[in-house]
Amino acid sequence: MPLKAELTSADLTQIRQSALGAADPLGVAADLADAADTGRLADPADAGLALTLAAEIAESRAKLEAAATYVERALEAYGKRDDGQVAAARALRARILFRTGREDEALAELEPLRPALTQYPDAAAYISAALAVGGRNRIAEQWLSEAVQSVLADRGSAAEPTNPDDAGLLFFLLQQRHRVRHAVGLPHDTHDNLAERLESKLTTAGPAAATEAPDLVFWAQTEFDQLGEVSAQYGGTFDGHRAGLERELVRLTAAGGTDLALLPGVLANLKKVGDPAEAKTRVAYARQLSASSARISWPPERNAACWCGSGNKYKKCCLPRSRG
C-alpha cells in the first residue's frame, strides 16, 4: 500500500515502528525514497531520515545493494549536517560495508564517529551494533570503555548516579558496554555492576516500567533456520517461536503494556552459524540493533498481513497461536 501523499516527521517515526510488519516492506522502502525525491515530505529536511529508514528496511531484508544506495543518498541529502541522525546513517553505512566484505572501509567509516559516543545517547547502540556485524566486539568494548571513562571524568567528584535519569548519557554507554562484554565473555567489573544497578532501578521505577515490553526478538524463518542450537532459546521450531512471541505479547497487553513491537533478528555473519559462541554474539547484536532499526509493530489489524511476514492474514496466521 502506498504511503500518504505527504509525510511528516511523526509519520516517519510511525513507519519505523511498523514497516517490517507490512506486507511489502521493500515497497515501503521504495516509497520512502520516492517521497524524498518528489517532495512528498512535509519537512524537506527529513529527506535524509526517510532515506536512512529505507536503507534500514532494505538491510533487514538482506537487499544490501539497495541498502547501500539508499544510505549513500541519505548522506548526500544530509549534506554538511553533523548531528546524531548523520552519525546514525554513517554507522548504518559501516554496517552494510561489513556485510558486503568491505571491512577496512567500514572501520574507516566508524573511527571518526567515536566522539559521538559522548555526544548522543543512541550512539552507543548504533556504533556497537555496526562493530558487532564486523565481528569487532572487542573494539566496541574498548571504545565504550573509553567513553565511559571520559563521561565519568567529566562528572568529576559527583556521586555515583543512583538512577538512569541522573546518569543521563552515561546510562546508555554503561548499558551497551555491559551487553558487549557479556557477548564476548568478559568478567564483570565495577562498571558492569553499575550498569546492572541502574537497569534494576529502571525496571522497578514504577507501573509504566513494570509493563514495558522487553526486547522480543523475532527471527524470520530464513534466519531462524540458521540459528542451530540457539533456536532452542526461541521456541525450538519456527511455529513454536511465533506462538511463544504471540502469547507473550498477549500477556504483556493484559498486564497493561502498550506500543508493543518486535525486534527483527539479523544474523551478523552467516558463515559462522555453526559456532555456538558466535551465535550468542549475533543474538546480542540483534538486541543492540533495537535503537537503530525499524521494529515490527504489534498487533496488526485482524485482516491485515500477519506480523511474521507469511503473507497470510493475521486472523488466519499468528492470532490463533496465542490460544494454542
Side-chain angles (χ1 to χ4, degrees), residues 49-321:
L49 180 60
L51 288 161
T52 300
L53 179 52
E56 290 173 357
I57 295 169
E59 186 211 14
S60 74
R61 289 298 188 261
K63 300 297 183 182
L64 299 183
E65 184 175 347
T69 298
Y70 288 142
V71 79
E72 292 295 338
R73 290 178 57 195
L75 291 168
E76 289 176 8
Y78 282 128
K80 294 182 179 181
R81 276 179 55 180
D82 183 15
D83 56 23
Q85 284 188 10
V86 178
R90 291 178 62 189
L92 174 60
R93 178 163 67 178
R95 234 169 44 211
I96 296 165
L97 288 169
F98 272 131
R99 295 188 71 187
T100 54
R102 298 159 66 182
E103 297 185 356
D104 290 344
E105 293 175 67
L107 287 171
E109 186 74 54
L110 288 172
E111 180 69 36
L113 297 184
R114 291 179 67 178
L117 290 168
T118 56
Q119 294 174 312
Y120 311 117
D122 54 349
Y126 55 67
I127 290 175
S128 60
L131 288 166
V133 171
R136 302 303 202 279
N137 274 316
R138 293 282 182 173
I139 293 178
E141 195 276 336
Q142 175 191 338
W143 290 7
L144 290 166
S145 293
E146 291 174 0
V148 166
Q149 294 289 2
S150 175
V151 175
L152 286 172
D154 287 343
R155 288 178 64 93
S157 59
E160 178 182 292
T162 57
N163 58 68
D165 287 338
D166 180 26
L169 181 145
L170 176 62
F171 171 68
F172 298 96
L173 288 170
L174 288 167
Q175 189 180 46
Q176 288 300 326
R177 179 183 180 275
H178 183 46
R179 291 176 180 176
V180 170
R181 286 172 61 83
H182 178 73
V184 297
L186 292 174
H188 275 206
D189 62 9
T190 56
H191 296 331
D192 290 311
N193 294 334
L194 176 57
E196 289 191 340
R197 289 198 298 275
L198 291 174
E199 288 185 358
S200 177
K201 290 282 187 180
L202 179 66
T203 58
T204 59
T211 58
E212 183 177 340
D215 285 343
L216 296 176
V217 179
F218 167 61
W219 301 93
Q221 184 157 19
T222 53
E223 299 207 324
F224 184 89
D225 291 344
Q226 299 294 324
L227 288 176
E229 295 178 11
V230 178
S231 67
Q233 302 175 24
Y234 294 92
T237 66
F238 185 57
D239 282 345
H241 176 45
R242 291 185 289 177
L245 287 173
E246 183 74 21
R247 286 194 293 269
E248 178 62 11
L249 289 162
V250 170
R251 185 193 69 78
L252 288 166
T253 299
T258 59
D259 297 323
L260 300 178
L262 295 160
L263 172 63
V266 179
L267 292 178
N269 192 340
L270 288 171
K271 68 184 179 182
K272 294 181 180 178
V273 166
D275 184 336
E278 288 295 335
K280 290 179 181 178
T281 297
R282 288 195 302 282
V283 170
Y285 158 65
R287 295 183 182 280
Q288 293 168 5
L289 198 60
S290 62
S292 58
S293 194
R295 288 175 172 245
I296 303 170
S297 182
W298 184 94
E301 295 292 330
R302 288 174 56 86
N303 288 313
C306 190
W307 55 263
C308 74
S310 67
N312 297 321
K313 291 182 178 181
Y314 176 53
K315 69 180 182 181
K316 296 289 188 180
C317 191
C318 284
L319 176 60
R321 297 181 195 279

Side-chain angles (χ1 to χ4, degrees), residues 7-18:
L7 298 174
T8 66
S9 299
D11 291 328
L12 293 177
T13 299
Q14 193 279 328
I15 291 167
R16 175 184 290 277
Q17 296 171 344
S18 62

